[in-house]
Amino acid sequence: MKNLFLSAAIVLGSLTSFASTTQVTNTIVKTISVEDEYTEIKLEELPAAISEALKKAYPDAVITKAYKNEKSEYKLDVTVGDKVGNLFANADGTWIKK
């Protein structure tokens, strides 16, 4: 009888070690640095098409800084009321999602 209980204990003990699982998580982080590509320009150098597109889309927006990259894409630091944000546009005033 002792052997039966001992055998059952060993079998159940070995099964629990196989039943344990290890949680594996793979985390992939993709970082895109947008600011490194842009150089600051004067607000006067900003194309009129972008200024007009901004007035049309956001009438109360104020451009605080403007940047340009090698592809002639523009990054605008914009303030609307108490909110601050960035907008991206092509030279013809078309908005770019980034």
Side-chain angles (χ1 to χ4, degrees), residues 11 44 78 95:
V11 169
E44 297 82 31
V78 179
W95 300 114

Side-chain angles (χ1 to χ4, degrees), residues 1 4 7 9-10 16 19 41 46 49-50 54 57 62 71 78 85 90 94-95 97-98:
M1 193 67 159
L4 180 64
S7 297
I10 291 173
T16 58
I41 62 171
L46 196 63
I50 295 176
L54 182 67
V62 177
K71 300 176 188 176
V78 179
N90 288 330
T94 305
W95 300 114
K97 289 186 180 184
K98 289 200 177 190

Side-chain angles (χ1 to χ4, degrees), residues 10-31:
I10 291 173
V11 169
L12 290 175
S14 64
L15 290 176
T16 58
S17 66
F18 290 115
S20 65
T21 60
T22 304
Q23 188 176 23
V24 177
T25 56
N26 291 333
T27 306
I28 299 173
V29 178
K30 184 177 181 182
T31 305

